[in-house]
Amino acid sequence: MFQRLLCSLSVLSLSIGAAHAAEPVALDTPRLSGIDNFRDIAGTTTAYSTAHDGTMRSGVFYRSNALTPSAADLATLNGLGIKVIYDLRTPGEIAATPDTMITGAAYRNIDIIGSTTSGSNITNISFHSAAEAVAMMEETNRAFVSDAGMRGQFGQLFNELASVDAAQLFHCTAGKDRTGWTAAVLQSIAGVDEATIMANYLATNDYTAARVAATLKALPPSMAAVYEPLLGVQASYLQAGLDQVAAEYGSMDNYLKQGLGLSQETIYVLRGKLVEYNSLPGQAGLVGNAAAGAELLRQLQNSELSGTYSAYNYYLQSAIDAGTLGGVESQVGGQVHADAASYLLRQNAMIEQAAAPFASGSDLKVGQYRLWSTALAGYLGTDGSAHAESSNEHSQGLMLGITQRFSEQLSARAGFGYSKGSVGGASGEADTDFTFLNLGARYGLNSLERGMFVDASASAGYVDYDSKRELDGGLGTAKGDTHGNLTGATLALGYRAPLSGVIVEPSLGFRVSHLDLQGFKEKGSELALDVDGIKQTRRSAVANLDVSFAPVTMGAWQLVPGVRVGYERALGNQQVDSEGQLLGLDIEQRAAFDNRDQFSGGVNLMANLGALSVGAEVGANGGGDSHGFNGGLKASYAF
């Protein structure tokens, strides 16, 4: 029965005249004089809205009746970028009205009815009433669902539609039944509501009104009354197919997967081609790095990763269905690179703190020098805030140095060291190997033992950088490596005051650190970033108070306890950012650590045995949302 219907349409549509319609308002789909039912499945006048705050994309899938364009029509079609034409007709229909090919488009015939069907028996078809014609149209739409052969052909069609990354066109003879069902299924995949799908289906009557009227006028009135249902569409036709889907499969999704054999991935590829989501799940409530990451994920819908068999497309469509981005919004921007830059910019403070017990040279005689070593170890955690995910920093290393006293007023020091840092944040990890040289000097206006002094310190080093970001949602692991330089200097003014049983040494100063990290390209994920070079400078005011207590004799050893309290205030903009690109889209992330004020405190104990000194220091630091500790073992020998 459905075979007779579609063959009937192949004959009746040959005598069609052109239809005319106004230019669309929001969609600029051209109206063609020789192909009256040519249109974009995205909508008639405006692009359709879909579930989950989506809008159908125009210029992706076109539907049409047989391709019999005028010269002007063909020029228009040639400019639409259509790369594949799917002809859903039988061999007999194709022979009767061959397609006029579009330049640059491949031609595919997917005979929905079946390759054995021919239109040669059309003259044997007869209907006794319009009711019979309507019943046959409804049965045809049911057959789109129930007939195994047609399901196989539709499955092939949708798989091929998913596989091409360009504009495509599908059509039958009148562009309303096989084509109408195809369009309705695609719109259902897109998430268009049923009322809109039905309205789009019925729009055929508007597009083809002039042609249908001319055809009916050419027929005897009695024959026209019988055959009129074949020339247009009625809601009951499409509804019959939709009802059959519900009866046999329970849902359109089951029809697609079980009936047509489409994979979830293919359905998601089709939906990615069909829909652009104006916002993503939860995006409206996000701020800071997560908001920037979600916006990058949203903008990637218009990249080469969208609507293709990519990990990104599958992730995004899954996230739309699940109603959550699953944390990828916080991972995708590469916050860990900003966290690592912030960590490196604070390394000079750690170096100076480690060298502090040996900085003054006041314990040395003129001409004497001290060789010393100190271990570097520390941890700092920054709790998550509105703008960034939590981060943590671990560091460990070793510094070897020498301090020499040149006069009553002057001493100088030099140190060489290595610090290995591990920075974690937003499911990323960066390892920084920092090899540095530190130089310093102190000048006492009266002497190094008492009174006002000026202390200067400078350091420079080489940074080797490796990063790894685990992206959830099946998006893989983005890895990168680079190198750079870190320099810094501190100038402080202090006063050393020996009091009864204690030496108090307050100081105020200014510190500047500059990081120059080379840009690099991550690998290992579709969402790997092209990370910009990081060139940032941190300036801060520093205040320290060192207190040394009188030695306590224990046998041959002398124990010297001490306390150190510090405060640092960032000047200017204290935030540290990283920037990157992905497929031409920019993403900027802030480091979790953005404290303007940082406090530190610690205790130390040195044990002296003649020229030998050994000791340890432990401390804590914090400020804002950050908290941590540090410590180290120290040893020295005076010559």
Side-chain angles (χ1 to χ4, degrees):
M1 183 177 293
F2 58 86
Q3 295 175 352
R4 295 201 304 268
L5 164 66
L6 295 172
C7 293
S8 299
L9 298 180
S10 69
V11 172
L12 292 172
S13 62
L14 298 181
S15 58
I16 301 172
H20 301 279
E23 285 290 325
V25 176
L27 294 178
D28 58 357
T29 310
R31 298 298 294 267
L32 305 179
S33 62
I35 313 174
D36 60 1
N37 209 9
F38 173 83
R39 46 196 166 111
D40 194 317
I41 75 162
T44 53
T45 58
T46 58
Y48 295 141
S49 296
T50 75
H52 309 297
D53 193 26
T55 301
M56 287 199 71
R57 302 177 188 270
S58 61
V60 178
F61 295 127
Y62 294 100
R63 56 177 291 178
S64 176
N65 44 335
L67 298 184
T68 56
S70 67
D73 292 342
L74 186 57
T76 299
L77 290 171
N78 287 339
L80 295 179
I82 295 171
K83 296 302 180 184
V84 185
I85 296 169
Y86 299 94
D87 189 339
L88 310 184
R89 299 177 296 170
T90 66
E93 293 174 281
I94 295 171
T97 313
D99 279 345
T100 298
M101 289 306 298
I102 299 172
T103 300
Y107 176 85
R108 291 282 292 112
N109 175 220
I110 300 179
D111 182 359
I112 296 299
I113 294 175
S115 59
T116 61
T117 301
S118 170
S120 59
N121 64 345
I122 182 61
T123 56
N124 297 325
I125 297 175
S126 63
F127 296 97
H128 299 95
S129 68
E132 289 184 3
V134 169
M136 188 180 69
M137 297 291 282
E138 293 171 353
E139 180 58 29
T140 298
N141 279 265
R142 294 188 190 98
F144 292 154
V145 179
S146 61
D147 184 271
M150 288 207 289
R151 289 200 308 271
Q153 296 297 85
F154 274 120
Q156 180 182 349
L157 171 63
F158 288 120
N159 274 308
E160 294 199 24
L161 287 171
S163 68
V164 177
D165 189 19
Q168 301 173 79
L169 181 149
F170 55 89
H171 78 91
C172 54
T173 295
K176 66 185 185 69
D177 298 304
R178 290 160 288 187
T179 296
W181 180 254
T182 302
V185 172
L186 288 172
Q187 289 163 350
S188 179
I189 290 172
V192 177
D193 63 84
E194 289 187 5
T196 303
I197 292 174
M198 183 62 74
N200 181 265
Y201 177 77
L202 295 175
T204 283
N205 294 332
D206 297 325
Y207 277 78
T208 63
R211 166 168 58 87
V212 170
T215 302
L216 292 174
K217 186 177 180 179
L219 295 174
S222 60
M223 187 176 182
V226 173
Y227 281 91
E228 183 176 4
L230 300 179
L231 299 178
V233 292
Q234 296 181 20
S236 66
Y237 303 168
L238 178 61
Q239 193 61 52
L242 297 175
D243 290 345
Q244 193 69 24
V245 167
E248 287 196 39
Y249 297 99
S251 67
M252 180 62 75
D253 189 63
N254 287 340
Y255 166 68
L256 295 171
K257 295 175 180 176
Q258 300 170 17
L260 304 186
L262 302 184
S263 66
Q264 183 66 73
E265 188 175 16
T266 294
I267 294 170
Y268 280 164
V269 168
L270 288 169
R271 196 167 75 178
K273 292 180 185 297
L274 288 162
V275 183
E276 178 180 359
Y277 294 97
N278 305 308
S279 63
L280 301 183
Q283 183 177 5
L286 298 175
V287 295
N289 289 352
E295 180 59 16
L296 176 65
L297 291 171
R298 192 192 70 81
Q299 292 182 4
L300 283 171
Q301 291 179 96
N302 295 311
S303 75
E304 63 190 29
L305 299 178
S306 181
T308 61
Y309 288 90
S310 66
Y312 162 78
N313 189 80
Y314 194 92
Y315 154 73
L316 184 68
Q317 301 303 326
S318 298
I320 293 295
D321 285 343
T324 173
L325 294 175
V328 175
E329 70 278 12
S330 297
Q331 303 165 358
V332 67
Q335 176 190 312
V336 69
H337 302 311
D339 287 334
S342 176
Y343 161 79
L344 288 168
L345 285 167
R346 288 177 275 112
Q347 284 299 287
N348 287 316
M350 185 189 72
I351 293 171
E352 291 173 16
Q353 182 175 340
F358 313 109
S360 69
S362 58
D363 59 330
L364 300 174
K365 298 177 181 180
V366 174
Q368 193 176 23
Y369 64 90
R370 179 182 298 277
L371 295 177
W372 49 267
S373 68
T374 178
L376 308 174
Y379 165 82
L380 182 71
T382 301
D383 296 334
S385 63
H387 74 266
E389 293 291 297
S390 298
S391 72
N392 59 82
E393 306 166 1
H394 298 267
S395 60
Q396 56 185 351
L398 180 69
M399 185 176 178
L400 304 175
I402 182 172
T403 301
Q404 182 165 4
R405 184 167 183 172
F406 293 98
S407 68
E408 290 293 328
Q409 296 172 282
L410 177 66
S411 69
R413 60 191 180 273
F416 175 80
Y418 168 82
S419 174
K420 181 175 180 59
S422 177
V423 182
S427 296
E429 181 179 333
D431 294 326
T432 63
D433 295 329
F434 179 40
T435 305
F436 60 87
L437 176 66
N438 176 258
L439 302 174
R442 177 172 291 196
Y443 179 77
L445 274 63
N446 294 313
S447 71
L448 293 178
E449 286 82 8
R450 178 187 297 270
M452 188 172 293
F453 65 85
V454 177
D455 193 281
S457 175
S459 61
Y462 176 82
V463 178
D464 188 51
Y465 183 94
D466 289 279
S467 66
K468 178 174 69 174
R469 296 190 298 120
E470 299 288 352
L471 296 169
D472 292 335
L475 294 168
T477 302
K479 299 180 180 180
D481 62 86
T482 187
H483 56 85
N485 300 299
L486 175 64
T487 57
T490 301
L491 182 64
L493 179 65
Y495 191 89
R496 184 179 175 88
L499 303 175
S500 177
V502 65
I503 300 175
V504 180
E505 188 178 291
S507 64
L508 295 173
F510 174 78
R511 177 182 295 127
V512 59
S513 297
H514 178 74
L515 174 66
D516 187 350
L517 199 63
Q518 300 298 308
F520 61 98
K521 174 68 176 178
E522 295 178 326
K523 299 178 181 179
S525 168
E526 291 176 350
L527 302 190
L529 295 172
D530 187 357
V531 182
D532 289 353
I534 300 176
K535 296 183 178 181
Q536 290 198 245
T537 300
R538 180 181 175 90
R539 300 175 178 85
S540 58
V542 294
N544 290 299
L545 175 62
D546 288 292
V547 179
S548 296
F549 295 94
V552 178
T553 301
M554 292 190 66
W557 291 85
Q558 282 193 324
L559 304 182
V560 182
V563 175
R564 181 179 176 89
V565 179
Y567 168 70
E568 181 173 358
R569 180 174 177 83
L571 306 176
N573 184 4
Q574 79 275 17
Q575 298 171 2
V576 178
D577 302 321
S578 66
E579 296 181 358
Q581 292 82 42
L582 175 58
L583 299 176
L585 300 173
D586 295 327
I587 179 72
E588 181 175 318
Q589 299 276 267
R590 287 172 54 184
F593 181 94
D594 66 350
N595 303 339
R596 185 174 293 279
D597 301 300
Q598 187 79 352
F599 300 88
S600 62
V603 296
N604 58 76
L605 180 65
M606 298 298 296
N608 302 325
L609 179 62
L612 175 67
S613 294
V614 294
E617 181 180 25
V618 293
N621 52 70
D625 297 321
S626 300
H627 48 86
F629 59 86
N630 55 75
L633 300 175
K634 305 177 186 297
S636 69
Y637 195 88
F639 292 88

